[in-house]
Amino acid sequence: MTNEQLQIRVEQISHDFFKKPFIHKAYFNNRLRTTGGRYVLKTHNIEFNPKHYEMYGLDELDGIIKHELCHYHLHIGGRGYKHADADFKNLLRTVGGSRYCRSVKPEPVRTPARYMMLCQNCGMKYMRKRRMDTSKYVCGRCKGPLKLYKMEEANGTQG
C-alpha cells in the first residue's frame, strides 16, 4: 500500500465511521518502532507503522486508523482526546477501533547458557552465559561453595 492509498483509506474511514472529513495528511513512517500509529498534535497529521500492515494485513491497519482518527477528531473538536479520557474510550468503542495494537518486534534470540554453577551443599544450579570466578561467590540459598562446569561437562556428568 502506498502513502496515496493510505491517505484515501483514512479519508474514507473518517467519512464512513465519523461522518467528518479528514483534511490533513496520513502517511507511513518507517521510524515508528513500538506503536502502530501516531497522531501529531502540532500538525494534525497521522503517521502509521508500515510493519503492522505488512505483518497483520488490512483489518489490523483499519483498527489502528480508527484509533488515530479518534484522537484526531476529538482533538480538533476540543474534547478529551487522550487514552484515559472518557470521550476517547466511548468514541473508540462506538467506531470499533483497536485499543491496543499487536507487537511487531521479532522474538529475541536467546543465546544458551554455556556455564553452570552447582552448589556443593544443596545442589542449586545457576545457569550463566559467561564464566565466573566461583571463589568470589556463594550459593544464594544456603551460602555453600559453588563449582563451575562448562555445559558440555555438566550434561556429561548428569546424564
Side-chain angles (χ1 to χ4, degrees):
M1 177 179 281
T2 65
N3 281 331
E4 292 78 22
Q5 293 169 324
L6 177 66
Q7 179 75 31
I8 292 167
R9 185 145 192 98
V10 171
E11 290 172 2
Q12 189 63 46
I13 289 174
S14 180
H15 179 266
D16 294 347
F17 288 90
F18 296 87
K19 310 295 186 233
K20 295 177 182 177
F22 177 75
I23 55 174
H24 292 87
K25 290 192 171 135
Y27 51 89
F28 286 117
N29 181 348
N30 288 312
R31 292 181 313 249
L32 293 179
R33 296 275 181 235
T34 60
T35 184
R38 174 170 60 189
Y39 168 61
V40 183
L41 292 172
K42 287 183 180 180
T43 63
H44 304 298
N45 295 336
I46 301 177
E47 302 173 343
F48 295 97
N49 187 340
K51 291 187 180 93
H52 277 86
Y53 174 66
E54 292 163 8
M55 288 179 74
Y56 302 115
L58 203 54
D59 288 338
E60 179 79 8
L61 182 64
D62 286 348
I64 296 169
I65 290 172
K66 290 174 187 175
H67 178 104
E68 298 308 326
L69 282 173
C70 287
H71 289 300
Y72 173 82
H73 288 299
L74 290 171
H75 182 249
I76 298 278
R79 295 169 52 206
Y81 62 90
K82 297 178 182 175
H83 288 126
D85 294 332
D87 288 337
F88 178 80
K89 289 179 183 178
N90 291 335
L91 183 59
L92 188 64
R93 194 176 313 112
T94 303
V95 298
S98 59
R99 184 87 168 105
Y100 305 102
C101 62
R102 293 193 244 174
S103 175
V104 292
K105 292 182 187 175
E107 290 296 319
V109 178
R110 294 195 61 167
T111 57
R114 294 172 36 203
Y115 297 95
M116 178 182 76
M117 292 188 299
L118 182 66
C119 176
Q120 301 300 295
N121 287 350
C122 69
M124 179 76 179
K125 296 177 186 174
Y126 298 93
M127 309 307 276
R128 294 290 180 262
K129 293 178 186 175
R130 295 185 180 184
R131 185 183 179 100
M132 293 179 63
D133 183 4
T134 55
S135 65
K136 296 180 180 180
Y137 300 96
V138 294
C139 178
R141 184 191 289 172
C142 72
K143 308 290 187 241
L146 299 171
K147 185 163 182 178
L148 184 69
Y149 295 98
K150 273 198 119 172
M151 283 309 288
E152 296 85 35
E153 296 171 19
N155 292 337
T157 58
Q158 293 175 347

